[in-house]
Amino acid sequence: MKLLVTGGAGFIGSCFVRMALQKRWAEQVVNLDKLTYAGNLENLQPIAGHSGYRFVELDICDSSGVENLFRCEMPDAVIHFAAESHVDRSIHSPAPVITTNLNGTFTLLEAARRNQISRFIHVSTDEVYGSIEPPQEANEKFPLRASSPYSASKAGSDLLALSYYTTYKLNISVTRASNNYGPYQFPEKLIPLMISNALEEKPLPVYGDGQQVRDWLYVEDHCNAIRAVLEKGRAGQIYNIGGNCSLPNLEVIRRILKATGKPESLITRVTDRPGHDRRYALTNEKLTRETGWQPQMRFDDGLASTIDWYERNRDWVQRVKSGEYRHFYELNYANRAE
Ligand code: NAD
Ligand code: DAU
């Protein structure tokens, strides 16, 4: 099996590449990544010398580069992770989000169609369902109600991907996962940001009242689910992937402070995110029924091992927090205190 993974230098993609080679899901993995601010080859250090691994620095919007790569490599399957993935960045600056998430996905789908690639997994998000009223949980038939430029771009790319099944019979499945956490996550997202700020005893910026609810999925559980869809998922189908762990943000932050032994006085209320979705909730029932997959990691265990990783990898954190990160932090958090 030869896999072509897009966005394999990012948080989830790099976890998938490491697992695919270490667990022998595939003999060969080609990692196509543009290395944006979120792409980091350090994430691939554990498999960098693997004989079946190849890295290609490329923009998924570069149609001739993508076409050449597909023609040369002829992968058995494409796992498409590459995206601009942060909601706050999509609010400050929507253009790269639209370009990569929509045009980039289109470029890959066209290359897959022209080269008759036999399997394509489009990795998407539960954010496409928008805010869900309790006690409901979104299944795959829920309407799309995207709130941010990020979630709208993902909803659009989901529809485009599914159209390639309907029209061209491309063997494509779409996965929609909830909030991931784990090692190597860029510290712009809630859990790694709060862990790294707590470890440095910096303020923990909570948007609004902190009662927004997210479902938390350990990144390795997510990658196992994608593999299950790759092997057993049906063409033209959507599969939700959740961690069965719904928590309000403030509860997550309090658990981080408790686990790191830092005071709750670090919690700082800041102005809410515009268009902020109140609650995400989804059911895994279809994926479990069709593939047997279930999330394995208990949240407190996953959080403890994630905190441990960030404590042991302060150099990694310092390197990614230098340069561009500081500009983003200033842009997103300055003048926001309530
Ligand atoms: P990330 O931001 O950590 O990594 C994205 C990767 O894509 C980076 O390596 C980046 O360099 C690469 N990339 C960006 N633009 C590119 C382009 N134009 N060409 C080639 N490469 C490009 O993202 P992540 O959190 O690992 O998310 C991966 C995927 O999973 C995304 O599609 C995201 O929408 C989806 N997802 C994420 C979560 C989450 O909680 N993080 C949850 C559900 C779904
Ligand atoms: O649900 C899946 C989605 O989860 C993915 O598709 C996205 O790629 C990923 O970024 C994530 O989106 P969220 O917006 O839910 O994640 P984020 O970590 O940015 O925020 C989680 C919650 O925490 C959200 O309610 C906003 C809040 N938050 C976030 C940050 C960064 C804060 O209160 N303070 C913060 O500083």
Side-chain angles (χ1 to χ4, degrees):
M1 167 83 94
K2 183 195 272 191
L3 299 178
L4 193 153
V5 174
T6 74
F11 164 51
I12 307 170
S14 68
C15 181
F16 187 88
V17 171
R18 292 190 304 270
M19 288 176 80
L21 290 169
Q22 287 167 346
K23 294 179 182 292
R24 299 174 195 264
W25 296 346
E27 286 81 48
Q28 295 178 67
V29 174
V30 180
N31 176 9
L32 181 178
D33 199 295
K34 184 184 174 185
L35 297 182
T36 67
Y37 78 91
N40 186 347
L41 291 179
E42 284 188 53
N43 303 357
L44 295 148
Q45 204 71 46
I47 49 85
H50 193 292
S51 57
Y53 174 66
R54 181 179 171 211
F55 174 69
V56 179
E57 187 171 343
L58 187 64
D59 187 333
I60 57 168
C61 302
D62 173 350
S63 50
S64 57
V66 167
E67 175 66 27
N68 283 340
L69 184 67
F70 274 53
R71 211 176 315 119
C72 288
E73 295 289 351
M74 286 307 287
D76 298 302
V78 173
I79 320 290
H80 173 34
F81 292 97
E84 288 290 338
S85 70
H86 194 39
V87 172
D88 292 318
R89 286 183 192 256
S90 86
I91 293 168
H92 292 296
S93 176
V97 178
I98 302 306
T99 304
T100 285
N101 299 4
L102 285 167
N103 288 348
T105 300
F106 170 60
T107 301
L108 292 167
L109 290 166
E110 274 294 277
R113 176 173 79 89
R114 277 196 296 266
N115 292 283
Q116 300 183 323
I117 299 298
S118 47
R119 189 84 177 103
F120 193 115
I121 309 291
H122 174 66
V123 178
S124 189
T125 168
D126 64 350
E127 291 210 24
V128 298
Y129 301 122
S131 207
I132 306 287
E133 282 299 315
Q136 285 189 304
E137 291 181 333
N139 62 31
E140 291 80 357
K141 294 194 169 122
F142 256 54
L144 300 178
R145 282 205 325 207
S147 305
S148 68
Y150 164 73
S151 50
S153 72
K154 294 298 288 189
S157 62
D158 289 11
L159 293 177
L160 194 58
L162 291 167
S163 80
Y164 272 63
Y165 165 72
T166 309
T167 305
Y168 304 114
K169 301 295 172 241
L170 192 67
N171 182 349
I172 188 155
S173 302
V174 172
T175 60
R176 290 181 177 153
S178 61
N179 286 60
N180 283 220
Y181 70 102
Y184 298 100
Q185 188 169 25
F186 196 83
E188 63 190 358
K189 307 282 182 358
L190 182 77
I191 287 186
L193 185 140
M194 297 300 165
I195 293 174
S196 71
N197 280 18
L199 293 176
E200 294 174 30
E201 303 199 349
K202 288 187 174 153
L204 308 193
V206 179
Y207 296 165
D209 65 4
Q211 292 307 319
Q212 304 85 2
V213 171
R214 296 291 183 268
D215 172 79
W216 293 99
L217 173 67
Y218 194 65
V219 63
E220 289 187 7
D221 276 332
H222 186 185
C223 293
N224 278 320
I226 290 171
R227 188 199 178 212
V229 173
L230 175 66
E231 290 199 329
K232 299 181 186 160
R234 288 180 295 135
Q237 294 293 311
I238 301 165
Y239 294 93
N240 285 349
I241 308 173
N244 293 339
C245 176
S246 265
L247 289 171
N249 294 337
L250 255 183
E251 175 60 24
V252 171
I253 292 164
R254 290 203 171 105
R255 290 193 198 186
I256 290 170
L257 287 170
K258 192 165 174 223
T260 52
K262 303 295 180 185
E264 292 209 357
S265 56
L266 289 175
I267 294 174
T268 309
R269 302 275 171 120
V270 300
T271 313
D272 208 351
R273 173 187 277 174
H276 199 170
D277 284 329
R278 193 75 183 159
R279 176 176 177 267
Y280 296 144
L282 76 175
T283 171
N284 288 326
E285 192 274 328
K286 178 176 175 183
L287 180 62
T288 302
R289 178 167 33 84
E290 291 194 17
T291 72
W293 175 89
Q294 286 194 30
Q296 300 297 319
M297 184 63 92
R298 285 181 55 248
F299 182 71
D300 285 329
D301 295 340
L303 190 60
S305 75
T306 303
I307 291 171
D308 179 58
W309 188 89
Y310 279 88
E311 277 180 322
R312 285 186 291 103
N313 289 278
R314 287 179 194 238
D315 291 352
W316 181 95
V317 175
Q318 285 320 314
R319 280 193 291 278
V320 301
K321 279 175 105 170
S322 63
E324 190 275 346
Y325 182 83
R326 282 199 236 120
H327 298 297
F328 167 72
Y329 205 88
E330 175 75 12
L331 175 72
N332 197 45
Y333 295 100
N335 310 317
R336 200 165 179 161
E338 282 200 324

